[in-house]
Amino acid sequence: MSISDEQEFEVFIKGAVYQRVTDSAFVEGFEQDLLGLATTDMAKDTVREILSASKPPVDWEVGEAMAECLLEHEFGAFWPWNENRDRKTPLASLPGADIVGFIGEGEEIRFLFGEVKTSSDKNTPPGVMSGRSGLAHQLDTLRSNISVHATLLRYLQARCRGTAFEASYKKAAQRYVASGGKDIELVGILLRDTVPHEDDLRTRGQALAGHAAPPRVRLDAWYMPKPISDWVALATAPQ
């Protein structure tokens, strides 16, 4: 799919994507809590130093936030947690799936796991589709590796317990175990700033279509009107 209108894209990236990639609501609360604890000039200086030390995101972080916003808007996916809060070093790339959340409503809620690749590569398909770190291999791992599933289920349980998402977790987990670990939704997202081309996904899509057994895998390519090199500046510009 393609977002061809530059103005529409800027509204999207400066709005929903900005909120997701900066975790703006959480960060605002964090800042207010720290400022409330600063009772001396020295303490206030320390807080200002902490708040100014945050590193801006990089393009793949903006890409992951964009993919989550697109999946939420287009397919009703939802996320109990922002993974930015799990990083223990600035700009660390966390292991596991890029996307971890839920999809569906009521009794149909299931786990949604996915991988995101951002590429300006002029080749079709781009290089990020192949190799051990490519989208195709990562989706195969998500499809069949039970140890990866176990890690993701523990991750989600820890973040959903005692929250508004706990009921969703229990419904999705029930579907998962009742199906022998098959009733989940997997998604691969390719984000591009190139001209749309069906060969970007054709080969991998045909290979995925050859798997008759669940889980279901969705493969999407989204084409944006602004260069990837501009995304960070657009997504983090003062609001």
Side-chain angles (χ1 to χ4, degrees):
M1 300 180 72
S2 176
I3 298 179
S4 58
D5 185 273
E6 292 191 10
Q7 185 174 6
E8 178 187 359
F9 177 73
E10 288 201 21
V11 169
F12 170 60
I13 199 169
K14 291 180 178 180
V17 177
Y18 166 84
Q19 293 168 20
R20 186 68 186 170
V21 76
T22 63
D23 201 7
S24 56
F26 177 84
V27 169
E28 183 177 340
F30 167 74
E31 293 177 355
Q32 293 303 314
D33 285 348
L34 279 187
L35 289 169
L37 297 171
T39 58
T40 67
D41 288 342
M42 181 180 293
K44 291 175 183 177
D45 288 343
T46 300
V47 170
R48 282 192 286 268
E49 200 172 338
I50 290 171
L51 298 181
S52 64
S54 299
K55 301 291 186 183
V58 292
D59 52 16
W60 61 262
E61 290 181 290
V62 175
E64 288 182 9
M66 190 180 296
E68 289 176 331
C69 293
L70 289 167
L71 287 167
E72 182 176 356
H73 183 267
E74 295 294 325
F75 305 110
F78 55 103
W79 325 104
W81 190 253
N82 192 312
E83 292 186 19
N84 291 333
R85 303 170 197 169
D86 293 321
R87 296 193 173 101
K88 295 181 176 63
T89 58
L91 303 182
S93 179
L94 297 171
D98 294 332
I99 289 175
V100 183
F102 303 97
I103 195 167
E105 298 179 352
E107 298 304 315
E108 298 301 313
I109 291 174
R110 56 178 56 81
F111 294 122
L112 174 64
F113 303 143
E115 298 291 344
V116 181
K117 295 296 180 184
T118 302
S119 177
S120 294
D121 187 352
K122 302 303 181 185
N123 293 316
T124 53
V128 296
M129 292 298 293
S130 58
R132 291 193 60 81
S133 61
L135 188 60
H137 179 74
Q138 289 177 333
L139 285 174
D140 283 338
T141 299
L142 274 181
R143 177 198 289 272
S144 58
N145 193 318
I146 193 71
S147 65
V148 173
H149 293 182
T151 299
L152 295 175
L153 264 63
R154 286 194 295 268
Y155 171 91
L156 277 172
Q157 187 193 47
R159 286 148 185 81
C160 292
R161 183 181 292 163
T163 74
F165 296 98
E166 185 168 9
S168 296
Y169 178 87
K170 289 180 177 178
K171 289 175 182 176
Q174 186 175 27
R175 294 183 72 90
Y176 179 88
V177 297
S179 66
K182 302 299 184 183
D183 196 355
I184 58 176
E185 190 100 356
L186 302 180
V187 62
I189 302 291
L190 177 63
L191 296 170
R192 304 275 268 150
D193 57 1
T194 58
V195 176
H197 200 295
E198 62 183 10
D199 286 345
D200 281 345
L201 298 182
R202 185 203 302 270
T203 300
R204 189 55 196 157
Q206 290 173 342
L208 289 172
H211 291 275
R216 181 173 178 266
V217 182
R218 180 182 184 91
L219 199 57
D220 284 327
W222 290 81
Y223 299 87
M224 307 301 171
K226 290 283 190 177
I228 290 171
S229 57
D230 292 347
W231 290 4
V232 170
L234 288 169
T236 57
Q239 302 299 296

